[in-house]
Amino acid sequence: MQIPPFGGFQPRFPHMHHLLAVLCLVAVVYKLTILLRKRRDAFRHMEPFPGPPAHWLFGHVLEFKQDGEDLYKVVKWGQKYPYAFPMWFGPFVCFLNIHHPDYVKTILASTEPKDNFAYRFIESWIGEGLLVSKGQKWFRHRRLLTPGFHYDVLKPYVKLMSDSANTMLAKWERYAKTGESFELFEHVSLMTLDSILKCAFSYNSNCQTEGLVHSSVYELSNLINLRFRTFPYHNDLIFYFSPHGFRYRKACKVAHNHTAEVVRKRKEALKQEKEPGYIQTKRNLDFLDILLCARDENQQGLSDEDIRAEVDTFMFEGHDTTASGISFILYCLACHPEHQKKCRDEIMQTLEGKDSMEWDDLSKIPYTTMCIKESLRLYPPVPGISRHVTKPLTFFDGRTIPAGCNVGTSIFGIHRNPTIWENPDVFDPLRFLPENVSMRSPHAFVPFAAGPRNCIGQNFAMNEMKAVVALTLKRYQLIEDPDWKPKIIPRLVLRSLNGIHIKIKPKNCRSGK
């Protein structure tokens, strides 16, 4: 005789299954309704802005082949649709893409936060640092961190930057001897990471020979860009359980452990060095000192979580963007030997036989600086940024977008806009002669953005670019490799699918020949 389970009580599981199915269906319908309403509203908001036709499901995603031509395609669209046009990423996400200085000044003059779509993918890595924070938190952090970029703090960094650059250049001796082509970005990225760790955190990592932290940053950058391009990965749960999600968490752990170790060691040191004045007698006051010692008007400092976020943010922004900039600058100079020679002559005269750049030398190389800016125009390290509009925004021609819209600024598009720049694809450093600069909108050249949310570390970056370019040209002649043309792609920073390759040969430093 069979005894019914639970003493003869029969639970009504079939009814429970029906109920769960109905609830799931209701949830799906509700979510779909919200998304369809979002799509309808986006169409209505973008009505004043004509743009390239979009697929009903994929938007413009299928237009981007990841073949090195995507950014140029956006520039071509900009020629057909002046000032701005909508770009769809899937069926529900739309950005107004701005590519003209008269439009970009409206958005960059505001303190509107970064968008809550693309930038949320990076938060689990760098936290709510200056890059992604908003409102009062962003304002407070910006105010507390600004002293870290005062020229008195930046001055001693030039020597440290020079040391890191010379370490890299010594490794290049074998390429100079063999004349073989080599890829720049990996070398330069290690060098800029070494430099940022020395300058901002007084930390000697030996990362130019031991690249563990660098490889994790490299992996994180690629995975975040992959997630942005892969529509299903926009869902946190799907990404979490994917193989790429596993790799992302593993790389995050390596990066975070390194950050925690840097901060822990400094806190231990500060227990013995109570006053910043005492710190300065032992070593240079650095960015991490200022982070740990910063106090607001209520004598409140940054929390441990805030400190980690700002360290991770500066670790990423302070080395990856600069590495992109330096790599493309060296590539441009290799492709234009006439400008390279003028830069070298100027540098040799300034350095007078020294093997290191000093603070006062940075202002003595104006032609080199113009070449650096022209390369930043053609190859901006951050090719685009985006903001989330919290209130209606009206542009100079009367067109308006309402609160809730996402606005993308195509820095690459602005810098290649033929209505602003004559022969925009030509490398011409004389565009940055003072008399030529004065004839353009200040928003025609924005490699570090502009306005209140501009790049807080832009002077640090420019100083490093000048020091590295000067020491490189002092030591080597850069030669273009015609077999390797960069296929540029927008990642977190501007990269090349096939790398950035040049050849070098040694220079006679005394003669400059």
Side-chain angles (χ1 to χ4, degrees):
M1 173 179 167
Q2 281 191 320
I3 300 174
F6 306 106
F9 175 72
Q10 296 281 355
R12 298 180 179 179
F13 285 119
H15 296 286
M16 184 64 73
H17 288 156
H18 288 315
L19 180 60
L20 286 173
V22 170
L23 288 174
C24 288
L25 182 62
V26 169
V28 169
V29 171
Y30 175 72
K31 181 68 174 177
L32 188 60
T33 302
I34 290 176
L35 289 172
L36 289 172
R37 183 179 297 171
K38 181 180 178 182
R39 178 177 171 85
R40 182 200 64 193
D41 291 345
F43 269 115
R44 190 174 71 250
H45 298 156
M46 295 298 161
E47 199 172 337
F49 302 94
H55 188 275
W56 69 272
L57 179 61
F58 299 108
H60 294 103
V61 171
L62 297 181
E63 296 285 341
F64 301 118
K65 311 297 184 185
Q66 299 293 310
D67 59 358
E69 296 297 321
D70 294 343
L71 287 169
Y72 297 106
K73 180 171 288 188
V74 174
V75 172
K76 287 181 181 177
W77 283 345
Q79 293 172 17
K80 188 173 181 180
Y81 306 101
Y83 297 105
F85 57 86
M87 286 177 60
W88 287 84
F89 297 90
F92 308 115
V93 178
C94 183
F95 284 77
L96 180 66
N97 184 69
I98 291 174
H99 56 91
H100 194 283
D102 290 344
Y103 257 50
V104 78
K105 69 181 178 184
T106 305
I107 186 70
L108 293 186
S110 71
T111 56
E112 294 288 29
K114 301 296 175 70
D115 78 82
N116 50 14
F117 172 66
Y119 288 93
R120 76 179 175 89
F121 298 150
I122 202 175
E123 273 192 49
S124 55
W125 171 20
I126 64 172
E128 285 193 72
L130 276 183
L131 181 64
V132 296
S133 60
K134 55 190 175 183
Q136 284 302 309
K137 181 171 186 174
W138 170 81
F139 183 78
R140 177 174 180 263
H141 283 212
R142 178 86 182 202
R143 189 156 42 86
L144 289 176
L145 267 59
T146 295
F149 300 92
H150 189 273
Y151 74 91
D152 281 337
V153 177
L154 296 179
K155 267 185 180 181
Y157 290 173
V158 180
K159 173 66 168 61
L160 299 174
M161 292 168 178
S162 297
D163 292 342
S164 294
N166 282 326
T167 299
M168 177 187 73
L169 296 173
K171 290 165 62 181
W172 288 7
E173 288 286 353
R174 63 189 181 99
Y175 301 119
K177 289 177 181 176
T178 63
E180 65 180 295
S181 178
F182 69 102
E183 203 282 318
L184 277 173
F185 189 88
E186 279 293 309
H187 289 273
V188 176
S189 188
L190 279 171
M191 182 271 299
T192 55
L193 181 59
D194 185 30
S195 185
I196 195 74
L197 289 170
K198 285 178 180 175
C199 295
F201 310 115
S202 300
Y203 186 84
N204 291 308
S205 67
N206 300 315
C207 68
Q208 294 206 59
T209 53
E210 303 168 12
L212 179 62
V213 177
H214 172 263
S215 64
S216 70
V217 172
Y218 193 85
E219 174 92 328
L220 287 166
S221 177
N222 285 337
L223 289 171
I224 288 167
N225 281 284
L226 174 70
R227 187 178 183 189
F228 182 79
R229 301 193 315 271
T230 308
F231 180 64
Y233 280 177
H234 294 179
N235 181 281
D236 292 337
L237 199 62
I238 292 174
F239 183 70
Y240 184 90
F241 287 108
S242 71
H244 293 112
F246 174 78
R247 283 168 51 193
Y248 177 82
R249 293 191 300 279
K250 184 178 178 181
C252 249
K253 185 177 180 181
V254 172
H256 287 163
N257 286 345
H258 181 262
T259 299
E261 179 69 5
V262 170
V263 174
R264 183 189 64 78
K265 286 185 176 180
R266 179 57 55 83
K267 281 186 171 181
E268 287 178 359
L270 284 176
K271 285 178 183 177
Q272 303 170 350
E273 306 168 352
K274 296 296 183 182
E275 297 297 328
Y278 179 70
I279 295 171
Q280 217 161 357
T281 63
K282 297 186 70 177
R283 57 176 167 78
N284 296 312
L285 191 70
D286 64 20
F287 177 73
L288 187 53
D289 288 324
I290 288 165
L291 269 182
L292 292 168
C293 299
R295 296 292 182 271
D296 60 19
E297 61 275 10
N298 298 318
Q299 294 305 303
Q300 295 297 311
L302 296 169
S303 68
D304 288 348
E305 184 180 348
D306 290 339
I307 289 169
R308 196 203 79 180
E310 297 300 354
V311 169
D312 282 332
T313 297
F314 199 54
M315 193 98 72
F316 157 62
E317 285 205 276
H319 103 269
D320 221 24
T321 52
T322 314
S324 174
I326 292 171
S327 298
F328 281 107
I329 290 163
L330 298 180
Y331 171 75
C332 285
L333 291 174
C335 295
H336 299 90
E338 70 282 11
H339 297 298
Q340 182 184 157
K341 183 181 184 306
K342 289 182 180 179
C343 291
R344 182 177 291 104
D345 291 344
E346 176 182 73
I347 289 161
M348 299 303 293
Q349 185 176 352
T350 299
L351 289 179
E352 297 179 331
K354 293 184 297 185
D355 291 324
S356 182
M357 287 287 282
E358 296 174 1
W359 176 263
D360 292 339
D361 297 329
L362 299 175
S363 60
K364 298 175 182 176
I365 49 172
Y367 195 84
T368 305
T369 302
M370 289 194 295
C371 286
I372 290 172
K373 289 181 177 180
E374 177 65 348
S375 177
L376 293 175
R377 181 188 71 82
L378 288 169
Y379 301 103
V382 180
I385 55 177
S386 54
R387 300 281 182 87
H388 181 73
V389 177
T390 59
K391 51 184 177 291
L393 199 68
T394 301
F395 298 102
F396 80 98
D397 58 1
R399 291 189 288 183
T400 299
I401 55 170
C405 290
N406 290 319
V407 178
T409 296
S410 175
I411 294 175
F412 189 90
I414 292 169
H415 288 183
R416 301 260 186 161
N417 190 325
T419 66
I420 308 300
W421 304 91
E422 186 178 353
N423 299 319
D425 296 328
V426 173
F427 184 85
D428 180 10
L430 298 184
R431 300 180 199 272
F432 290 95
L433 285 170
E435 57 268 30
N436 292 332
V437 171
S438 65
M439 296 171 63
R440 288 191 302 269
S441 163
H443 292 89
F445 177 67
V446 284
F448 301 105
R453 289 199 70 133
N454 68 348
C455 174
I456 194 172
Q458 59 183 289
N459 289 327
F460 177 96
M462 280 299 295
N463 292 348
E464 183 166 21
M465 285 187 260
K466 290 180 184 181
V468 174
V469 169
L471 293 174
T472 302
L473 294 187
K474 176 181 182 293
R475 192 159 179 170
Y476 299 116
Q477 180 180 340
L478 313 180
I479 304 163
E480 178 186 11
D481 184 348
D483 295 331
W484 291 90
K485 295 287 184 183
K487 296 179 179 180
I488 59 172
I489 48 171
R491 292 291 185 254
L492 287 178
V493 299
L494 192 68
R495 300 287 299 274
S496 169
L497 273 172
N498 57 340
I500 305 169
H501 293 75
I502 63 169
K503 297 178 181 180
I504 59 173
K505 64 180 184 180
K507 292 299 300 177
N508 184 324
C509 293
R510 292 186 179 179
S511 65
K513 296 179 182 179

